[in-house]
Amino acid sequence: MRILIAAAGSCGDVAPYTGLGTELRRAGNEVALATTETFAPLVRDAGLEFRSLPADPRGRDGVTGKREPMRTAAAFITELGQGFADTLADGTDLLLLSTTTAPLGWHLAEATGTPSAGVYLQPTAPTGDFPPVVTGSRSLGRPANRMAGRFALRMADRVYEQAAAKLRHRLQSPPVSASAMRRRQERANWPVLHGFSTALVPRPSDWRPGLEVVGNWWPHHGASERLPTDLEDFLRAGPRPVFIGFGSMAAGDGERLSDIAVRALRRAGLRGILQAGSAGLATDGDDVLTIGDVPHALLFPRLAAVVHHAGAGTSAAAVRAGVPAVPVPVTADQPFWAGRLAALGAATDPIPFRTLTAERLADSLAQVVKRHAYTRAATRGARHMAVEDGAGQALKAIQQLVRFNY
C-alpha cells in the first residue's frame, strides 16, 4: 500500500511516527510522512518520503498562559489546513492521522474517498477512568470525568472550526461543522490506534469499539548511531549522571533554568547532563556537560535519573530505560503524563514548572536517586514495555483494518 502518515506539532509529536513508518515500510509498504518543514531531516533519515505541511510550530511551544495556547493553537491549525489537500496529490491508499491532524484529515479522507485511521499519542476519547489529558487535573469521579472529556472535545472542535471550513471550501465539499464531523466519525467507530504503553495508561473499559492501545512507537535511529565522543567520555568519567532537559518547552528561559539545574545538582552531590533544547540550557564545569539532541534510547539507560518536562515520548523513554524521573510539567498533556509516572512509582511527585526552584529540584533528586523503590518501579515498567512491540502491533492492526474494512 501507499501509506501517508500526517503529523504536526513539536518534535515529540512527530518523531514517534518515524518508528511507526519504518515498521510499515519494512512490511513492503510505500510510506510517506507529512509534517512541517522543520522535521524534514528527521523523516528522510528514517528512510521515509517527506511531504510538507504548511505550518511552523516553532515559537509556539513555550506559551504557558491560560488563554494564549487556544489562540496560538487556532492560528497554527488554520495555517496547517491551508494546503493540507496537497499531501494526497501523489496518491494514497491509506491515510493515518495524528491527534493534531485528524480533525482536518477526516474532511480530506471523505472528499477523496481515501480510507483512514487514527494513530494517536494521547488518549483523547472521554472516559470515566480519568479526566481529559489537557486539564492535568485529578479525577473528578467517573461521571464528571466523562462529562469533562466531552467538553474538552467540544473545545477542540472550536479550535478546528475555521480551518475545517476553509479546507472543505477548497475541496468543494458541502459545509459540515467540526463537531458534526467528529460525531460522524465516532458513530462509525472510526479506528484509532494509540501509541502509548498500557504500563502508563491501560485501555479504559468504557471506550467505544475501534479504540485500541498498542504500545509506544519509538523514534527511529540508525543501528550504527552512537553517542558523541565527549558525551561518552563524560559518562565513563564518574558515577551515573542525571539528565536535565525540557525538550521544546521553555524557550528563552535557559539562563534561569541552567542556574537552577546546576545549583540543584551540586546541592544533591550529583553529576549532570543538560540538554540545551529550546530553552537553551548551557553551563561549564567538570561535573556538568551540555549536549544537543541525542537518541533517548542510547543515553537514558546509562543515567541515574531523568529530569524532564513530562512529554509523552520522554516520559515513556525514561520508563523504557528503567530509569526513575523527576517530572517538571510545563503545559498541555504534560501534567497528565507526570501524574502517570508518579502513580506508576517510577517518578517523584511532579514539580510544576512555575514553582521550580533549585531547592525543590535538589530535594526531589536526592529522593529519586537514593530510594531504590523508584528504580524498581521503573524497571517493572520497562519489562512491561519490552513485550508490547507497539509498531509491530500497529502493523498487524492496520493490515486487519485494510483486509476487513476496506
Side-chain angles (χ1 to χ4, degrees):
M1 291 187 296
R2 295 167 298 176
I3 299 175
L4 176 63
I5 306 171
S10 68
C11 187
D13 298 314
V14 175
Y17 297 109
T18 63
L20 175 60
T22 53
E23 180 71 14
L24 296 173
R25 185 170 58 84
R26 276 195 293 268
N29 302 294
E30 296 178 20
V31 183
L33 177 50
T35 187
T36 48
E37 198 70 35
T38 309
F39 306 113
L42 197 71
V43 174
R44 293 184 175 122
D45 286 348
L48 307 176
E49 178 191 345
F50 170 75
R51 296 188 191 174
S52 180
L53 289 181
D56 188 348
R58 288 175 295 184
R60 305 177 193 271
D61 299 310
V63 179
T64 56
K66 291 290 186 182
R67 295 180 179 176
E68 189 63 21
M70 290 290 287
R71 288 196 293 266
T72 55
F76 174 59
I77 294 302
T78 299
E79 188 181 355
L80 186 66
Q82 301 306 301
F84 197 2
D86 295 338
T87 60
L88 288 187
D90 295 331
T92 297
D93 299 315
L94 178 64
L95 181 59
L96 299 180
L97 300 166
S98 73
T99 313
T100 307
T101 61
L104 295 173
W106 293 332
H107 305 278
L108 193 57
E110 178 194 70
T112 60
T114 305
S116 67
V119 282
Y120 288 7
L121 302 179
Q122 302 87 8
T124 63
T127 174
D129 288 5
F130 46 80
V133 299
V134 293
T135 66
S137 60
R138 296 185 179 184
S139 178
L140 308 170
R142 296 191 66 83
N145 284 345
R146 281 191 289 268
M147 186 181 301
R150 290 191 291 270
F151 177 75
L153 290 182
R154 287 198 296 273
M155 294 299 291
D157 291 338
R158 288 177 56 186
V159 172
Y160 283 87
E161 199 71 52
Q162 184 178 11
K166 288 184 176 180
L167 180 57
R168 291 189 72 85
H169 178 75
R170 173 173 178 179
L171 296 169
Q172 298 182 330
S173 299
V176 173
S177 70
S179 56
M181 177 58 84
R182 181 185 296 279
R183 289 193 296 272
R184 185 183 298 176
Q185 300 300 99
E186 290 171 354
R187 285 195 298 269
N189 288 332
W190 186 67
V192 180
L193 306 176
H194 293 84
F196 50 77
S197 174
T198 55
L200 290 173
V201 186
R203 183 189 185 278
S205 59
D206 59 353
W207 268 5
R208 65 167 173 80
L211 303 178
E212 302 299 335
V213 179
V214 298
N216 284 90
W217 305 313
W218 304 110
H220 170 81
H221 64 87
S224 61
E225 195 166 353
R226 298 290 182 268
L227 295 176
T229 302
D230 61 338
L231 178 53
E232 277 287 357
D233 292 343
F234 184 81
L235 289 167
R236 292 171 180 159
R240 288 189 172 210
V242 168
F243 171 95
I244 300 178
F246 296 91
S248 60
M249 296 292 106
D253 220 2
E255 186 175 349
R256 183 180 73 86
L257 291 175
S258 299
D259 178 66
I260 288 174
V262 172
R263 287 196 291 124
L265 288 165
R266 289 175 180 163
R267 183 180 176 120
L270 297 166
R271 300 197 315 143
I273 295 171
L274 307 189
Q275 186 176 58
S278 294
L281 271 65
T283 190
D284 294 312
D286 294 337
D287 57 344
V288 183
L289 177 70
T290 301
I291 63 171
D293 291 337
V294 299
H296 291 160
L298 298 183
L299 176 60
F300 281 12
R302 302 174 66 179
L303 302 172
V306 178
V307 179
H308 60 78
H309 61 294
T314 310
S315 297
V319 176
R320 182 194 193 192
V323 176
V326 177
V328 185
V330 182
T331 188
D333 61 337
Q334 295 159 17
F336 172 81
W337 295 110
R340 288 280 151 170
L341 289 174
L344 184 66
T348 62
D349 289 338
I351 304 175
F353 180 76
R354 291 183 181 277
T355 67
L356 181 65
T357 64
E359 292 72 25
R360 289 194 70 180
L361 182 54
D363 290 346
S364 292
L365 282 173
Q367 181 181 335
V368 80
V369 170
K370 292 177 181 177
R371 295 185 187 175
H372 298 302
Y374 292 107
T375 300
R376 287 196 294 269
T379 301
R380 288 193 298 271
R383 293 195 192 106
H384 185 119
M385 288 182 174
V387 299
E388 284 182 321
D389 185 21
Q393 290 302 312
L395 171 62
K396 290 179 183 177
I398 288 166
Q399 289 171 333
Q400 289 175 346
L401 286 172
V402 171
R403 187 177 303 120
F404 297 114
N405 294 302
Y406 303 126

